[in-house]
Amino acid sequence: MFSSIFAGIANFADPAIWLCLAGGTILGLVLGLIPGVGSLIGMALFLPFTFMLEPLQAMPFLVAMSAVGFTGGSITAVLLGVPGDAANVVTTFDGYPMAQRGEGARAVGAALTSSLIGGVMATGFAILMMFAIMPIVMNITSREMVFIILIGLSFICLLGKGDRMKSLISGCIGMLLSCVGLVSVTGEPRFTFDIPALFEGLTLIPVTLGLFAVPPMVELAMQGGSGTISHNDVGKITMRDTMKGVWDVLHHKFLCFKCAIIGYFFGVVPGVGANAAIFIAYGHARSVSPNGNNFGKGEIEGVIAPESCNNAKESGSWLTTLALGVPGSATGAMGLGALLMLGVMPGPAMLTEKLDLTTTLLLSVALANVLGFLFCFPFVSHIAKVAKVPGRILVPLVLVLIVTGSYAFRCMLEDLIILLVFSLIGILVRYFRYNAGSLLLGFLLGSIFESYLFISLQAEGITFFMHPIPLFLMGCLVLFLLWPVLRKIFGKGEVEC
């Protein structure tokens, strides 16, 4: 076993692997910066060219691209309020308000540092636990998944910036929207109005860009042609401002570690919907922070939590993809296709006969995060100047990228109509102070919850939850929902004493 691990480490003596790692990292960062494109579409674009390479060259290239796409997306999420990927949506909640008050470099510094720590830390988890975690993952069935997803949905009430009832309503609307398309269990069309493009459901990319990317651009356009994102002097930003973000991450190191663990766990478990992990990490940060009521107004913890989580989930997803052949995310599914195309069969043999390849690929995730940090960090002060680009230049350019990203995924005009509809919904959500994040979380988890609930009921009936793990998860869910009340009761008791 150890000889195979050392052999996997020794593979990095080959300069070709480093060249592929660097190329995948740069492409992943650039594609992550473009709203709606991201690493997933990049992997799809470059997948046909990888069959000419050896597995030890092609796979590190794709792994690096998937590992740092969210790092690039965090920069546009902070500076423009436009998420480069769905996983960067939560970063806009606090990162963009920070950029608006002239703290863009600090927020980007925190995002890059927490992404680095989350990605490297999760890779260590994957290598240490690749044998211990598999029996746990393989014993998680549909009945456990029902309550894991319920816990994720319960975080809807924590995502509100003020009125939690509006957050709950937003989440319920998202769950209703997830019902559009073919029923996953029976295959019957639902709310499709006989439109073929809706049979697959509402596409995530135009939904995300419509809710989160278009509204801030509309607001910027309404300020006039000379309006900019930041009203402060971005020209004075220095490396010192960026380093403030680094110190913020070190100050909140335990939050960064905990959110990395959340991301890793949700990446390992296939079918949960890894993007939901970011919302859960953000909700956790909001619940434990003494400044929780200020989340959404520019709290640095609201940047650290999602960024440490979204990079950490990639290591978990790749471990599941390699060891079980079951992808834990969309990028994992793309990686699975690449492995099969290269003649590598994922499965338990990846932990025995091909342990050296598995070790190399998992270490590639960590090294790509390190390279991504080194490529971006020295130039943060220059990148932050994007916040002073006049609206007459920025808005048309970003809108073109949004439309291009929405169309590029499926090359269907119907996706542009979905983008337009959800742009209007996003504008109304912001105007009436509802919560777009809660709506997206409900949309992400609604269909998954329905599938696992239906399977559990069909397999074991209405008492499917009468097992130790589901009962334990139910207890955790009840405790979570009652925690604000219990904390208030016990807090008053301490004051009276």
Side-chain angles (χ1 to χ4, degrees):
M1 180 182 70
F2 290 107
S3 60
S4 298
I5 293 176
F6 288 130
I9 297 173
N11 286 331
F12 290 98
D14 185 359
I17 293 181
W18 285 100
L19 184 63
C20 292
L21 268 176
T25 300
I26 293 172
L27 283 171
L29 289 171
V30 172
L31 294 170
L33 283 166
I34 302 174
V37 179
S39 56
L40 179 61
I41 293 180
M43 291 177 71
L45 291 174
F46 287 93
L47 185 62
F49 301 99
T50 57
F51 75 92
M52 296 181 293
L53 303 174
E54 295 293 326
L56 275 174
Q57 298 171 354
M59 291 310 300
F61 174 82
L62 294 175
V63 166
M65 190 180 294
S66 71
V68 300
F70 308 125
T71 303
S74 68
I75 297 175
T76 52
V78 169
L79 298 180
L80 305 181
V82 178
D85 190 273
N88 297 118
V89 165
V90 182
T91 308
T92 65
F93 295 174
D94 289 272
Y96 184 59
M98 289 183 68
Q100 288 180 304
R101 63 173 186 247
E103 295 183 303
R106 178 190 174 194
V108 173
L112 293 177
T113 307
S114 52
S115 294
L116 169 66
I117 293 174
V120 174
M121 182 178 171
T123 301
F125 287 153
I127 293 175
L128 291 174
M129 301 175 64
M130 66 172 104
F131 301 103
I133 199 71
M134 287 302 108
I136 299 174
V137 173
M138 295 178 71
N139 284 322
I140 294 179
T141 63
S142 59
R143 58 174 179 258
E144 285 82 21
M145 294 297 299
V146 168
F147 294 98
I148 291 174
I149 295 171
L150 273 179
I151 291 173
L153 288 170
S154 65
F155 274 83
I156 285 176
C157 64
L158 285 177
L159 292 177
K161 299 177 184 177
D163 191 338
R164 292 190 174 185
M165 183 55 67
K166 287 187 175 181
S167 284
L168 189 60
I169 293 172
S170 301
C172 292
I173 293 173
M175 293 184 70
L176 288 174
L177 292 171
S178 71
C179 296
V180 175
L182 299 177
V183 180
S184 58
V185 179
T186 63
E188 297 178 3
R190 182 173 55 188
F191 305 130
T192 59
F193 306 104
D194 293 328
I195 301 175
L198 294 181
F199 285 174
E200 297 181 16
L202 297 169
T203 310
L204 180 61
I205 289 177
V207 168
T208 302
L209 292 177
L211 286 175
F212 295 96
V214 175
M217 292 299 103
V218 172
E219 290 182 0
L220 184 59
M222 292 175 66
Q223 296 176 12
S226 59
T228 59
I229 293 173
S230 175
H231 302 292
N232 297 296
D233 189 2
V234 182
K236 295 181 179 179
I237 289 176
T238 63
M239 184 59 70
R240 183 178 180 181
D241 297 298
T242 308
M243 287 301 299
K244 289 181 180 178
V246 178
W247 292 118
D248 285 323
V249 176
L250 296 178
H251 179 68
H252 298 287
K253 54 184 175 296
F254 293 113
L255 174 65
C256 183
F257 294 161
K258 287 187 289 184
C259 292
I261 293 172
I262 292 173
Y264 174 74
F265 173 77
F266 275 83
V268 166
V269 180
V272 176
N275 286 338
I278 291 90
F279 289 92
I280 293 176
Y282 183 83
H284 168 73
R286 188 178 188 273
S287 65
V288 301
S289 172
N291 303 316
N293 292 332
N294 293 326
F295 270 50
K297 301 176 183 177
E299 285 292 325
I300 194 67
E301 295 157 273
V303 176
I304 294 171
E307 285 305 315
S308 62
C309 178
N310 61 22
N311 281 47
K313 68 183 178 61
E314 286 304 297
S315 293
S317 173
W318 277 105
L319 176 59
T320 305
T321 302
L322 294 170
L324 297 182
V326 180
S329 66
T331 53
M334 197 69 67
L336 177 65
L339 286 169
L340 294 174
M341 186 181 71
L342 293 167
V344 179
M345 182 61 65
M350 296 296 292
L351 299 180
T352 54
E353 301 171 11
K354 299 178 181 177
L355 182 58
D356 57 334
L357 176 60
T358 301
T359 303
T360 300
L361 296 184
L362 291 177
L363 287 175
S364 296
V365 178
L367 292 172
N369 278 280
V370 174
L371 291 175
F373 179 84
L374 295 176
F375 289 156
C376 291
F377 192 83
F379 307 105
V380 169
S381 58
H382 301 288
I383 296 172
K385 293 179 181 179
V386 173
K388 293 301 290 184
V389 175
R392 64 178 181 274
I393 298 175
L394 186 62
V395 172
L397 178 62
V398 173
L399 287 178
V400 168
L401 292 176
I402 289 171
V403 172
T404 303
S406 298
Y407 180 77
F409 186 66
R410 297 195 302 176
C411 297
M412 298 179 67
L413 291 175
E414 288 85 352
D415 284 339
L416 298 183
I417 299 175
I418 294 174
L419 173 67
L420 177 61
V421 171
F422 276 87
S423 298
L424 295 174
I425 293 174
I427 293 170
L428 292 174
V429 165
R430 290 169 74 97
Y431 182 79
F432 289 105
R433 298 183 182 277
Y434 280 79
N435 194 271
S438 299
L439 193 153
L440 183 62
L441 179 58
F443 176 74
L444 288 170
L445 291 182
S447 58
I448 303 172
F449 173 75
E450 179 188 22
S451 298
Y452 283 118
L453 180 61
F454 186 88
I455 293 171
S456 300
L457 290 173
Q458 288 293 313
E460 302 185 51
I462 199 170
T463 60
F464 71 90
F465 57 87
M466 297 300 294
H467 295 272
I469 296 179
L471 290 174
F472 171 76
L473 293 173
M474 285 178 64
C476 293
L477 178 61
V478 172
L479 180 62
F480 171 77
L481 295 174
L482 294 179
W483 178 248
V485 178
L486 295 175
R487 185 170 59 179
K488 184 179 295 186
I489 292 173
F490 289 108
K492 286 183 177 180
E494 292 173 3
V495 173
E496 291 175 357
C497 295

